[in-house]
Amino acid sequence: MSVNISEKKGPVVQAKGIHKIFGNMNHVLRGLDLDVGKGETVVILGASGSGKSTLLRCINFLEAPTAGSIEVDGTLIRADAPANEREAKALEIRRKTGMCFQSFNLFPHMTVLENIIEGPRTVLKQNRKEAEEYADELLDWVGLTDKRGEYPSCLSGGQQQRVAIARSLAMKPKVMLFDEPTSALDPELVGEVVEVMERLAADGMTIIAVTHELHFARDVADRVMIMDGGNWVEEGTPEKIFNNPEQERTKRFLAHIL
Amino acid sequence: MGIEVDGAPEQGIPEEADRVLRQIEGRRKKYRRNLLISFAVLITLLVTAMIVLKLDFSFMMKWLPFILAGSGYTFLVSVLAITLACILAVVGALGRMSSNPVFNAVATSYVSLIRGTPLLVQVYMWYLALPQIGKALEELGLHGVQAWLTLPAVPAGILALGVCYGAYMTETVRAGIQSIKIGQTEAAMALGMTRGQTMKRVIFPQALRVIIPPVSNEFIAMIKDSSLVSLMGVWELSYRAVKIGRRHFQSLEMLIMVALIYWLMCILLQFVQERIETHMARGDRRV
């Protein structure tokens, strides 16, 4: 099954001059640019509090950037646009963007299948049959067909995260955002989630991932970007970043996590 | 767990563990037995008290149909007032959380004013004071207003109860909605849902589960507060009981009877609540 269908050439995600200042003048992002091409897998690394998650959440407007612009698959939003226009464009961007959270955030009152068809049914107004057919394909793809009728509380963390990935994919997104998808998992469950992410990348999905899974960064990423204090420190291929980092800050960070 | 308590211990379970499990099971059985005995004793005491007090049971039976006829009003007033209260509570809760300053101010004032004044005063306001407001407006040139604002007793009672309980339930609904983790909203938004869709499909169904027990509490309280409409001369349950009791100097019988009728209604409601809660808990972890 192929999950990524993007007809356009050029970057799928283009962020320019992103600043994020929270209410208490906490300046988290300090003018970041990010271009991600079609089918590219980008892994963002950095110490906790460096702003990685905030940047990811700015891309689909779960956080509104304080300055700058975001463009996803041809939909452009400027931070200073009028509120109602920004809201409407944000909906458009979110429909083209899948997101996986650290804590899965499955809907506990719905079964696995209901979780997956919720977006297509409510947002895309698909009929039940159409939505269920694709959901079953996705369940098969993440290897959870037998959990179709279960509630999330009966699933392990790894299984829940795989359902969450299927739920995002059901919207046929142009780009998938992963916000530390394995950080809340027991060590023995990390592998099954990373394996799904690897297959997703191999299928040509555009991926931006914030993760501490160095295997994934090393083996799957096309590009690794290091963030510190709301600025980019360094970027490059995994080989370059892990074997020949240029910046002192990158070396110190890698020394901590390797 | 496939542990045999009554039969021989399963293989691999040490003798000590088997003994401890038997003790736990024994304690549980003893607790259940004592609980049943306690209830039986309480009911016996109640019946004994009724006999010792020389209650006139034939008098009670004679007037039972007459008293029960008043339960229609109690039922009608309660059901309509509860419906009104639910609608007001949902709208009120959305208002209390709204970023629209006007909507927010109206909802906040509503809750504050209604919770801050006695229900008794509110009942009289709807019944006795509203026509006066109508008269004043009529004199200002709004024709026909007075007739509209002069309410018969039952509609006035329904409005008073509904508006009052709606204010209390506003806070219950708001607390329920706010108890749902922000991650749920974010997941729904990330799928591209609008705020309305997120509320309707994701947040509200989960909040409902949290608010069913406190809302049932309000319902039970309201069934009993519906007796306040008797202040306006409606012949509902308690009004009839008090009337008959006074006339024959047998208030004790009448009051006990009407109390039992209310109690039965509330037990029925509690039963419905438990059924709903069981249904709502279907996504819970099986223990």
Side-chain angles (χ1 to χ4, degrees):
Chain A
M1 191 197 68
S2 79
V3 285
N4 182 40
I5 313 103
S6 181
E7 304 83 7
K8 294 196 177 63
K9 300 255 184 279
V12 178
V13 175
Q14 205 165 16
K16 280 189 193 142
I18 300 297
H19 284 266
K20 178 68 192 181
I21 303 168
F22 284 104
N24 46 2
M25 291 310 280
N26 184 10
H27 202 159
V28 177
L29 302 178
R30 297 165 179 265
L32 295 173
D33 294 335
L34 174 67
D35 278 16
V36 182
K38 190 190 152 198
E40 196 181 10
T41 297
V42 174
V43 168
I44 303 172
L45 295 176
S48 71
S50 59
K52 303 163 299 198
S53 287
T54 306
L55 176 64
L56 214 57
R57 294 159 60 83
C58 279
I59 292 173
N60 67 352
F61 271 74
L62 283 186
E63 302 283 359
T66 318
S69 68
I70 301 277
E71 188 174 351
V72 176
D73 192 52
T75 306
L76 174 77
I77 315 182
R78 285 181 218 288
D80 59 356
N84 52 350
E85 183 198 321
R86 216 176 48 190
E87 192 65 27
K89 289 278 185 69
L91 278 180
E92 215 175 294
I93 281 190
R94 290 188 197 123
R95 282 165 199 183
K96 299 176 180 180
T97 314
M99 187 169 208
C100 281
F101 300 89
Q102 183 176 347
S103 47
F104 330 131
N105 298 344
L106 290 179
F107 305 133
H109 58 303
M110 300 181 190
T111 63
V112 165
L113 181 79
E114 286 165 351
N115 264 279
I116 298 175
I117 64 173
E118 182 58 30
R121 298 270 290 137
T122 303
V123 178
L124 304 178
K125 311 289 181 203
Q126 285 180 11
N127 65 45
R128 179 170 272 277
K129 187 167 169 289
E130 185 185 1
E132 282 190 10
E133 270 171 19
Y134 193 52
D136 281 330
E137 261 182 71
L138 287 166
L139 273 175
D140 181 48
W141 194 76
V142 298
L144 289 171
T145 302
D146 56 327
K147 300 290 180 194
R148 194 178 188 268
E150 301 271 11
Y151 283 95
S153 56
C154 300
L155 271 56
S156 74
Q159 291 169 337
Q160 288 191 47
Q161 193 62 294
R162 280 146 68 198
V163 173
I165 293 172
R167 176 176 69 175
S168 298
L169 293 176
M171 296 293 289
K172 304 201 167 131
K174 308 291 186 202
V175 54
M176 282 289 291
L177 309 175
F178 286 94
D179 189 4
E180 305 204 20
T182 57
S183 298
L185 296 176
D186 289 339
E188 77 268 22
L189 300 177
V190 169
E192 60 188 73
V193 172
V194 172
E195 186 264 338
V196 168
M197 291 168 67
E198 285 171 1
R199 274 196 286 137
L200 200 55
D203 268 10
M205 175 60 81
T206 309
I207 293 175
I208 307 175
V210 169
T211 178
H212 298 299
E213 271 319 297
L214 295 182
H215 291 295
F216 183 79
R218 209 193 288 267
D219 302 340
V220 183
D222 299 302
R223 187 154 44 116
V224 175
M225 305 181 74
I226 310 286
M227 190 187 278
D228 187 45
N231 287 306
W232 295 126
V233 175
E234 187 170 358
E235 67 167 279
T237 60
E239 296 79 49
K240 186 205 147 207
I241 295 291
F242 289 113
N243 302 334
N244 295 305
E246 283 168 14
Q247 302 294 324
E248 236 0 84
R249 185 70 195 84
T250 308
K251 288 177 194 166
R252 261 189 290 137
F253 173 69
L254 290 174
H256 266 292
I257 58 171
L258 283 177
Chain B
M1 300 284 275
I3 293 165
E4 281 291 334
V5 176
D6 296 322
E10 268 182 26
Q11 274 196 330
I13 294 175
E15 201 259 332
E16 183 192 358
D18 186 60
R19 212 167 52 235
V20 171
L21 286 173
R22 276 170 200 276
Q23 277 172 11
I24 292 172
E25 182 61 21
R27 274 203 296 274
R28 188 178 300 143
K29 277 184 180 157
K30 197 172 157 199
Y31 171 79
R32 287 194 60 83
R33 193 190 65 212
N34 288 348
L35 193 68
L36 285 176
I37 292 174
S38 305
F39 276 130
V41 168
L42 282 174
I43 291 169
T44 314
L45 278 176
L46 197 68
V47 174
T48 316
M50 284 187 183
I51 294 168
V52 169
L53 287 168
K54 293 208 172 61
L55 289 190
D56 186 346
F57 288 105
S58 63
F59 177 76
M60 286 167 89
M61 290 320 289
K62 184 185 157 205
W63 287 102
L64 180 63
F66 177 74
I67 304 284
L68 270 182
S71 63
Y73 276 121
T74 299
F75 189 75
L76 177 81
V77 169
S78 301
V79 167
L80 290 180
I82 283 167
T83 310
L84 176 63
C86 285
I87 296 167
L88 286 174
V90 171
V91 175
L94 292 176
R96 291 273 285 146
M97 298 180 297
S98 173
S99 52
N100 178 326
V102 179
F103 191 17
N104 196 315
V106 170
T108 305
S109 310
Y110 162 60
V111 171
S112 174
L113 176 70
I114 299 295
R115 289 203 307 177
T117 51
L119 177 54
L120 186 60
V121 172
Q122 291 173 29
V123 169
Y124 281 135
M125 273 282 179
W126 288 101
Y127 189 55
L128 300 177
L130 206 57
Q132 196 183 335
I133 295 173
K135 184 164 173 264
L137 291 175
E138 189 93 24
E139 280 161 10
L140 284 173
L142 291 162
H143 295 294
V145 174
Q146 192 177 0
W148 270 100
L149 293 184
T150 307
L151 299 172
V154 171
I158 292 168
L159 278 171
L161 284 169
V163 167
C164 178
Y165 276 83
Y168 287 96
M169 280 163 54
T170 289
E171 290 301 89
T172 309
V173 172
R174 181 176 65 90
I177 288 173
Q178 288 179 337
S179 74
I180 306 305
K181 285 200 199 102
I182 187 78
Q184 291 290 310
T185 305
E186 289 182 347
M189 303 272 273
L191 287 173
M193 289 194 201
T194 62
R195 290 192 177 277
Q197 288 169 336
T198 302
M199 187 55 77
K200 186 170 149 233
R201 300 284 311 161
V202 175
I203 305 303
F204 202 69
Q206 295 184 60
L208 204 54
R209 237 207 97 191
V210 182
I211 66 183
I212 289 282
V215 163
S216 303
N217 233 0
E218 304 276 358
F219 283 4
I220 285 172
M222 188 199 272
I223 286 189
K224 292 168 296 162
D225 273 349
S226 70
S227 62
L228 280 172
V229 296
S230 65
L231 293 171
M232 301 177 285
V234 178
W235 284 62
E236 50 72 71
L237 271 178
S238 55
Y239 188 75
R240 286 167 188 244
V242 171
K243 276 267 159 168
I244 304 300
R246 276 197 181 154
R247 192 191 297 161
H248 299 273
F249 198 67
Q250 291 193 307
S251 284
L252 182 61
E253 279 90 350
M254 286 296 104
L255 290 177
I256 285 179
M257 195 161 80
V258 80
L260 286 176
I261 294 172
Y262 276 116
W263 194 10
L264 273 177
M265 287 167 89
C266 292
I267 287 174
L268 212 69
L269 199 65
Q270 207 174 321
F271 177 72
V272 174
Q273 174 198 345
E274 276 161 19
R275 295 294 293 271
I276 295 175
E277 272 185 53
T278 316
H279 176 72
M280 294 257 164
R282 65 198 186 281
D284 278 9
R285 184 179 287 276
R286 314 280 183 272
V287 183

